[in-house]
PDB file of all heavy atoms in Angstrom:
ATOM      1  N   HIS P 224       4.224  -0.867   3.422  1.00  0.00           N
ATOM      2  CA  HIS P 224       3.501  -2.144   3.447  1.00  0.00           C
ATOM      3  C   HIS P 224       4.391  -3.242   4.005  1.00  0.00           C
ATOM      4  O   HIS P 224       5.580  -3.300   3.701  1.00  0.00           O
ATOM      5  CB  HIS P 224       2.922  -2.525   2.083  1.00  0.00           C
ATOM      6  CG  HIS P 224       3.927  -2.908   1.035  1.00  0.00           C
ATOM      7  ND1 HIS P 224       4.311  -4.219   0.817  1.00  0.00           N
ATOM      8  CD2 HIS P 224       4.621  -2.182   0.124  1.00  0.00           C
ATOM      9  CE1 HIS P 224       5.167  -4.275  -0.179  1.00  0.00           C
ATOM     10  NE2 HIS P 224       5.389  -3.059  -0.620  1.00  0.00           N
ATOM     11  N   ASP P 246      11.656  -4.696  -0.127  1.00  0.00           N
ATOM     12  CA  ASP P 246      10.271  -4.494  -0.548  1.00  0.00           C
ATOM     13  C   ASP P 246       9.330  -5.287   0.367  1.00  0.00           C
ATOM     14  O   ASP P 246       9.030  -6.438   0.089  1.00  0.00           O
ATOM     15  CB  ASP P 246      10.107  -4.927  -1.993  1.00  0.00           C
ATOM     16  CG  ASP P 246       8.728  -4.631  -2.547  1.00  0.00           C
ATOM     17  OD1 ASP P 246       7.967  -3.917  -1.889  1.00  0.00           O
ATOM     18  OD2 ASP P 246       8.422  -5.116  -3.646  1.00  0.00           O
ATOM     19  N   ASP P 247       8.769  -4.767   1.434  1.00  0.00           N
ATOM     20  CA  ASP P 247       9.045  -3.450   1.927  1.00  0.00           C
ATOM     21  C   ASP P 247       9.274  -3.542   3.438  1.00  0.00           C
ATOM     22  O   ASP P 247       8.756  -2.740   4.194  1.00  0.00           O
ATOM     23  CB  ASP P 247       7.860  -2.530   1.571  1.00  0.00           C
ATOM     24  CG  ASP P 247       8.169  -1.054   1.861  1.00  0.00           C
ATOM     25  OD1 ASP P 247       9.347  -0.710   1.966  1.00  0.00           O
ATOM     26  OD2 ASP P 247       7.223  -0.298   2.040  1.00  0.00           O
ATOM     27  N   GLU P 279      -0.425  -4.993  -0.044  1.00  0.00           N
ATOM     28  CA  GLU P 279      -0.099  -4.021  -1.106  1.00  0.00           C
ATOM     29  C   GLU P 279       0.172  -4.771  -2.394  1.00  0.00           C
ATOM     30  O   GLU P 279      -0.249  -4.370  -3.471  1.00  0.00           O
ATOM     31  CB  GLU P 279       1.138  -3.188  -0.712  1.00  0.00           C
ATOM     32  CG  GLU P 279       1.427  -2.030  -1.677  1.00  0.00           C
ATOM     33  CD  GLU P 279       2.365  -2.361  -2.844  1.00  0.00           C
ATOM     34  OE1 GLU P 279       2.945  -3.453  -2.870  1.00  0.00           O
ATOM     35  OE2 GLU P 279       2.503  -1.518  -3.736  1.00  0.00           O
ATOM     36  N   GLU P 280       0.879  -5.908  -2.239  1.00  0.00           N
ATOM     37  CA  GLU P 280       1.299  -6.670  -3.422  1.00  0.00           C
ATOM     38  C   GLU P 280       0.137  -7.412  -4.075  1.00  0.00           C
ATOM     39  O   GLU P 280       0.290  -7.976  -5.149  1.00  0.00           O
ATOM     40  CB  GLU P 280       2.406  -7.678  -3.046  1.00  0.00           C
ATOM     41  CG  GLU P 280       3.624  -7.066  -2.387  1.00  0.00           C
ATOM     42  CD  GLU P 280       4.611  -6.465  -3.361  1.00  0.00           C
ATOM     43  OE1 GLU P 280       4.279  -6.369  -4.557  1.00  0.00           O
ATOM     44  OE2 GLU P 280       5.717  -6.097  -2.915  1.00  0.00           O
ATOM     45  N   GLU P 305       8.811   3.183   0.603  1.00  0.00           N
ATOM     46  CA  GLU P 305       8.899   1.939  -0.185  1.00  0.00           C
ATOM     47  C   GLU P 305      10.318   1.713  -0.644  1.00  0.00           C
ATOM     48  O   GLU P 305      10.848   2.535  -1.399  1.00  0.00           O
ATOM     49  CB  GLU P 305       8.039   2.096  -1.460  1.00  0.00           C
ATOM     50  CG  GLU P 305       6.669   1.524  -1.367  1.00  0.00           C
ATOM     51  CD  GLU P 305       6.579   0.084  -1.848  1.00  0.00           C
ATOM     52  OE1 GLU P 305       7.563  -0.692  -1.716  1.00  0.00           O
ATOM     53  OE2 GLU P 305       5.494  -0.254  -2.361  1.00  0.00           O
ATOM     54  N   MET P 306      10.935   0.628  -0.243  1.00  0.00           N
ATOM     55  CA  MET P 306      12.235   0.244  -0.790  1.00  0.00           C
ATOM     56  C   MET P 306      13.287   1.358  -0.626  1.00  0.00           C
ATOM     57  O   MET P 306      13.597   2.083  -1.546  1.00  0.00           O
ATOM     58  CB  MET P 306      12.079  -0.157  -2.261  1.00  0.00           C
ATOM     59  CG  MET P 306      11.209  -1.377  -2.415  1.00  0.00           C
ATOM     60  SD  MET P 306      11.151  -2.027  -4.099  1.00  0.00           S
ATOM     61  CE  MET P 306       9.933  -0.941  -4.800  1.00  0.00           C
TER      62      MET P 306
HETATM   63 ZN1   ZN H   1       6.524  -2.603  -2.349  1.00  0.00          ZN
END
Side-chain angles (χ1 to χ4, degrees):
H224 70 92
D246 185 10
D247 189 20
E279 189 269 352
E280 304 278 10
E305 263 268 32
M306 296 187 278

